[in-house]
Amino acid sequence: GTWTNASTSASWSFAAPITFNSGANQTMTFAGTNLAGNEFDAVTFNSTAAMTYTMATRGLRLGGALSITDTLTTVGLTTSNLAVTAGSITIGTNGTLIAGSSTITVSGNWTSSAGTFTVGTSTVSIQAIAAIAAATTSSFYNLTITTGTSTPSTNIDVDNTFTISGGIYAKGTTTLNVDAGLTLSGGAITSTSGAVTITGAVNISSASSYIDLGSEAWTISGTWTNATTSASWAAGTGTVTFTSATGGT
């Protein structure tokens, strides 16, 4: 059924995993920031018939895994533009996460390659050591990495901006496509090969940021700004091609 939680109690504690399992569409009103801490540890959304859970009023905060999956039928979670915070997120078989304009904060792995992530105009912020397995088209709308090492196992496509404010994006041999600019305001990108295509500007605004280009080919259609002084910057044998039709600085 539904879940409605208006608690503001400092004594709230829900350490056991919880599974929502319904055969009809449900409205879920979580406590969000009414609670000082997380509402749950681990949450699974599945179903007995094709249906959607729709969040209302407040966001969802949990310390462990958020899983949206079903082996028999389809199940969806619509965020209604509300915030979601989780230790890890798995959008599994027959699962859909409809993100709208939500900010989704993850302090662990992101796995959506087996399900459907409808990115909307959302921002996914990865804030810890994480493995990333996502769809290779419209993987994210805005993607932010703030700390830890994020390692993709699939090619990544970012529909808008990619910002690294800390940590490392260890892309290895995967490809990266960003449709509206790359910013390194801290942190780094390391790689061995795999093409990078940036539509828009590349802005490396932090002196401590760096890129290890490996042997990859970069294609950039906007401006290039590089304020790094890092000794870790490595040109490798990479190739950078600027393709702007209008020029730039």
Side-chain angles (χ1 to χ4, degrees):
T2 62
W3 174 274
T4 303
N5 186 1
S7 177
T8 59
S9 173
S11 299
W12 179 275
S13 177
F14 202 120
I18 184 169
T19 298
F20 295 105
N21 186 26
S22 177
N25 294 339
Q26 303 292 347
T27 298
M28 315 298 284
T29 306
F30 300 110
T33 55
N34 281 354
L35 297 175
N38 295 319
E39 188 166 0
F40 307 106
D41 182 38
V43 176
T44 298
F45 291 94
N46 59 26
S47 62
T48 58
M51 55 82 65
T52 299
Y53 297 94
T54 300
M55 291 171 54
T57 310
R58 292 178 292 273
L60 172 62
R61 296 197 300 169
L62 54 147
L66 171 61
S67 179
I68 307 163
T69 187
D70 202 300
T71 58
L72 299 177
T73 185
T74 58
V75 58
L77 175 64
T78 298
T79 65
S80 305
N81 305 324
L82 299 167
V84 175
T85 301
S88 65
I89 291 181
T90 298
I91 309 168
T93 303
N94 296 323
T96 298
L97 177 58
I98 303 167
S101 60
S102 292
T103 296
I104 302 172
T105 303
V106 188
S107 57
N109 295 341
W110 175 279
T111 307
S112 60
S113 51
T116 301
F117 179 45
T118 304
V119 302
T121 57
S122 64
T123 297
V124 172
S125 178
I126 297 175
Q127 300 188 348
I129 296 172
I132 303 173
T136 55
T137 302
S138 292
S139 312
F140 304 97
Y141 185 75
N142 295 311
L143 177 62
T144 300
I145 294 172
T146 65
T147 189
T149 298
S150 295
T151 306
S153 60
T154 55
N155 297 333
I156 298 299
D157 177 44
V158 181
D159 287 352
N160 197 45
T161 62
F162 184 17
T163 302
I164 302 172
S165 60
I168 296 173
Y169 182 71
K171 66 177 286 296
T173 60
T174 64
T175 65
L176 173 64
N177 182 75
V178 182
D179 290 345
L182 170 67
T183 298
L184 276 73
S185 55
I189 296 176
T190 62
S191 59
T192 53
S193 61
V196 175
T197 302
I198 309 296
T199 302
V202 174
N203 183 10
I204 305 158
S205 60
S206 170
S208 63
S209 290
Y210 64 90
I211 298 174
D212 181 348
L213 290 164
S215 62
E216 66 197 15
W218 284 56
T219 302
I220 301 167
S221 69
T223 59
W224 173 274
T225 303
N226 188 0
T228 188
T229 58
S230 174
S232 297
W233 184 278
T237 57
T239 301
V240 177
T241 301
F242 295 101
T243 62
S244 175
T246 59
T249 302

